[in-house]
Amino acid sequence: MNNKYIGVFDSGMGGLTVVKSIVETMPDENIIYFGDTAHVPYGTRSKEQITEYVLNDVKFLNTFDIKAIVIACNTADSIAREKVEALYDLPVFGVVGPASKKAAETTRNNKIGIIATNATVNSGAYEKNINRFNPEAEVISVACPLLVPLVEEGRFKKGDKVIEKVLTEYLTPLKEQGIDTLVLGCTHYPLLYDIIADIMPEVNIISSSVAAAEVLKKELCDSNMLSNNSGSSRKYFVSDNAEYFEGLAKIFMGDLGGTVEHVEI
Ligand code: DGL
């Protein structure tokens, strides 16, 4: 049993989809969340720049009494995970490994599509991980650089013509290739789930956020690190406008269960 905080971070509000899944599966865990909203998006930046941001994010989370680090960002997980593991003597959880395993086990025709940021696609992290679990799988990746800025602008609701058009364009090549499984390889994308499901009704959609929370729960349980609190304490920090973040976050999460504060890191 361990009642310390789980430290979760992302470039912006995408990591809240991981928080949402953690709260749904482990309602009694204490969570510290950091969204680096001053620097979002990470996915179009260089490896060096992403690594620098990630190390600052983790340094901030580590100022709290945390029991684990959750990299709630596929871009950060693909690029800088090894650095984080090397620097901190804490269990580090990510999103790419859990989503890859689930996709590898779900596909029936061995054609898996990935939608993700440029940095995640260019890293090849999904291909490597999926082929570890299923060497036969063909992985077709599409970089979707417009999606994160649109989500951060609140353009994630069904009926929004702009996001629907952009998604149709990104998903059409995957449809044409006949994938039967699609990984939402960016934690911002679960906010677009309903629109994606309408465009690709015949495909199994794997959310990296849901997969990450499932693995986190199992690992914490196996290592006897789940909390025995009743209820959870949650604190949210962002590097840019806290009010803006809180407003958008409430639209899709409902009650955040904690305060949002701006911090300079
Ligand atoms: N939500 C993130 C991811 O999972 C980051 C997107 C970005 O900042 O570009 O990749």
Side-chain angles (χ1 to χ4, degrees):
M1 176 266 288
N2 186 328
N3 290 342
K4 292 181 182 181
Y5 285 92
I6 299 174
V8 183
F9 76 94
D10 177 50
S11 57
M13 65 177 297
L16 292 179
T17 60
V18 179
V19 172
K20 191 167 186 252
S21 295
I22 295 175
V23 171
E24 279 163 10
T25 49
M26 294 169 276
D28 296 327
E29 291 296 331
N30 293 329
I31 297 170
I32 298 283
Y33 181 84
F34 179 66
D36 192 11
T37 49
H39 299 124
V40 67
Y42 284 4
T44 45
R45 299 181 193 272
S46 68
K47 280 187 191 171
E48 293 70 26
Q49 186 63 78
I50 294 167
T51 305
E52 189 186 318
Y53 288 155
V54 168
L55 296 183
N56 282 334
D57 301 341
V58 180
K59 196 169 157 197
F60 171 72
L61 287 178
N62 199 42
T63 60
F64 297 87
D65 195 17
I66 55 173
K67 63 180 174 185
I69 297 164
V70 177
I71 307 181
C73 173
N74 288 262
T75 307
D77 196 19
S78 301
I79 304 292
R81 186 198 176 95
E82 281 165 20
K83 284 254 165 41
V84 176
E85 285 177 327
L87 283 170
Y88 292 90
D89 193 19
L90 281 166
V92 178
F93 298 93
V95 276
V96 176
S100 297
K101 184 164 186 284
K102 212 166 168 182
E105 291 168 355
T106 301
T107 183
R108 291 287 159 265
N109 71 359
N110 282 334
K111 282 191 172 193
I112 299 173
I114 310 292
I115 51 171
T117 65
N118 293 18
T120 300
V121 168
N122 292 338
S123 75
Y126 267 103
E127 284 81 348
K128 208 167 88 201
N129 274 279
I130 288 173
N131 287 136
R132 209 155 47 88
F133 298 113
N134 178 351
E136 305 296 311
E138 182 190 348
V139 179
I140 305 146
S141 303
V142 175
C144 307
L146 293 175
L147 298 184
V148 169
L150 283 168
V151 168
E152 292 277 333
E153 284 296 325
R155 308 292 297 264
F156 51 76
K157 288 169 223 107
K158 234 171 139 163
D160 183 311
K161 293 283 169 271
V162 174
I163 192 73
E164 287 181 355
K165 180 137 195 6
V166 170
L167 271 169
T168 303
E169 194 169 313
Y170 283 139
L171 295 173
T172 298
L174 293 172
K175 242 180 146 164
E176 285 169 359
Q177 300 253 9
I179 60 158
D180 74 348
T181 302
L182 175 71
V183 177
L184 309 184
C186 172
T187 54
H188 283 71
Y189 301 173
L191 290 159
L192 307 170
Y193 188 98
D194 291 343
I195 307 175
I196 295 170
D198 279 353
I199 299 170
M200 303 189 97
E202 67 295 343
V203 160
N204 299 300
I205 301 173
I206 310 279
S207 155
S208 56
S209 307
V210 173
E214 288 167 355
V215 168
L216 176 67
K217 182 175 183 184
K218 185 179 181 312
E219 301 276 327
L220 290 180
C221 183
D222 289 352
S223 46
N224 198 23
M225 281 174 71
L226 283 171
S227 100
N228 68 348
N229 295 319
S230 64
S232 102
S233 157
R234 284 173 238 148
K235 294 180 184 168
Y236 302 84
F237 297 90
V238 287
S239 50
D240 201 354
N241 191 330
E243 290 73 34
Y244 180 74
F245 178 89
E246 190 169 3
L248 270 190
K250 277 187 179 154
I251 293 174
F252 90 96
M253 246 188 98
D255 182 16
L256 292 180
T259 51
V260 183
E261 256 177 68
H262 170 255
V263 277
E264 297 284 345
I265 65 160

